[in-house]
Amino acid sequence: MQRLGQEVLKLEAKAVNSLAERIGDNFSRACRHILSCTGRVIVTGMGKSGHIGSKIAATLASTGTPAFFVHPGEASHGDLGMITGADVVLALSNSGETHELNAILPRLRRLGVPLISLTGNPDSTLAREATVHIDIQVEKEACPLGLAPTSSTTASLAMGDALAIALLDARGFTAEDFARSHPGGRLGRRLLLHIEDVMQTGDKVPQVTPGTLLREALLEISHKGLGMTAVVDSTQQVLGIFTDGDLRRALDQGIDVHTTEIATVMTQAPQTAPPHLLAAEAAERMERHRINALLITAEDGRLIGALNMHDLLQAGVV
């Protein structure tokens, strides 16, 4: 079993490596057709090629090329209506003679849509009818019977990835663009979430005035549960911060919590951040300064929120 598993991987790797030599003018022509498309890329294929086609369509769509998959069998029963003259069709078939695909070729010709085919047979019907043909022929399937689509489907998938990434680069697609189509993923959260989306606001923000006794400040920290309190003046300007770490240091010095004012033990000029800063940048700043909380201020220095590491963890930023 181990020997066969290794042989499969070697055969499929060889199949993919051989594709690099076939990326030439036809590959560039296919990319240009897709880049000039004002509609969608319609990906189609039957059986295992259809499964690969679905993945290619998803990869294209998530990297800046609008695309979706149409099943060729359903296309002959109404789904051809999904395809318009503004689209480009990308068809996958190892043999190039898939009946369900060839059956819709006349309709595609009447629509006048560019047809890009990925086949393992350059002399096939699908290859000849295509506007652009990309050869994905493999030497042999990894299946020892030579029957199950293995090397051929891997080659199709790899060529689809090559098209998607070439198009991504040509479009100038960025990590931020990728995040916009993946708002639920970790990257999306890191690149789209701002501090204002996750910070504590209003009554949830612990704050005291400079004359507040340390005992009362500790009650504020306990009630708000952020492990710190801001120290502000009457206009909400931030004067300092008092954290759990400041408390430990004060107790080590023998400070009387009943008589000491917070202004004498607070940390002055604390780290602050604007609300429009990316939450990921806030996390990086907190790690760099080895702090667990940030005070969020407006442009004029007024306290408008607070953020701690737990908020970032809950939001999935760290």
Side-chain angles (χ1 to χ4, degrees), residues 41-57 68-76 79-80 83 88-102 104-105 108 115-119 126 136 153 156:
V41 175
I42 312 301
V43 186
T44 187
M46 196 72 187
K48 302 298 186 295
S49 292
H51 295 307
I52 297 299
S54 292
K55 191 275 180 185
I56 292 174
F68 63 89
F69 179 80
V70 171
H71 191 285
E74 298 296 335
S76 293
D79 283 4
L80 268 174
I83 306 175
V88 169
V89 174
L90 176 62
L92 284 71
S93 170
N94 186 42
S95 69
E97 300 294 348
T98 303
H99 171 73
E100 292 84 355
L101 279 177
N102 291 347
I104 64 174
L105 292 180
L108 297 179
L115 172 62
I116 301 167
S117 66
L118 271 64
T119 84
L126 184 58
I136 54 169
T153 49
S156 299

Side-chain angles (χ1 to χ4, degrees), residues 176 179-180 182-183 187-194 197 278:
E176 287 75 13
R180 291 187 186 97
H182 297 74
L187 177 62
R189 291 191 294 271
R190 288 186 61 84
L191 294 179
L192 297 179
L193 273 181
H194 293 81
D197 299 320
L278 283 173

Side-chain angles (χ1 to χ4, degrees), residues 178-301:
F178 186 86
R180 291 187 186 97
S181 61
H182 297 74
R186 182 177 177 84
L187 177 62
R189 291 191 294 271
R190 288 186 61 84
L191 294 179
L192 297 179
L193 273 181
H194 293 81
I195 287 176
E196 59 193 346
D197 299 320
V198 295
M199 71 182 187
Q200 303 294 331
T201 60
D203 292 338
K204 295 180 180 180
V205 181
Q207 53 185 293
V208 296
T209 57
T212 302
L213 294 178
L214 181 52
R215 173 178 57 83
E216 297 169 352
L218 294 178
L219 291 175
E220 176 74 356
I221 293 173
S222 178
H223 289 158
K224 300 298 174 63
L226 295 185
M228 62 84 189
T229 183
V231 182
V232 298
D233 64 16
S234 58
T235 64
Q236 292 295 102
Q237 294 291 313
V238 173
L239 303 176
I241 191 172
F242 187 81
T243 67
D244 291 341
D246 293 320
L247 174 61
R248 288 191 293 272
R249 286 184 287 273
L251 293 177
D252 285 343
Q253 296 170 12
I255 296 295
D256 187 345
V257 300
H258 299 284
T259 59
T260 303
E261 293 185 351
I262 195 74
T264 63
V265 289
M266 69 181 184
T267 296
Q268 300 183 37
Q271 287 292 318
T272 63
H276 56 76
L277 190 73
L278 283 173
E281 293 183 50
E284 187 277 330
R285 184 178 298 185
M286 291 163 72
E287 291 173 358
R288 176 158 35 93
H289 292 283
R290 298 182 179 181
I291 57 178
N292 292 318
L294 270 178
L295 300 180
I296 313 305
T297 57
E299 291 184 6
D300 59 3

Side-chain angles (χ1 to χ4, degrees), residues 147-170:
L147 299 174
T150 45
S151 299
S152 58
T153 49
T154 299
S156 299
L157 181 61
M159 188 61 77
D161 285 343
L163 283 169
I165 300 307
L167 293 165
L168 174 153
D169 185 71

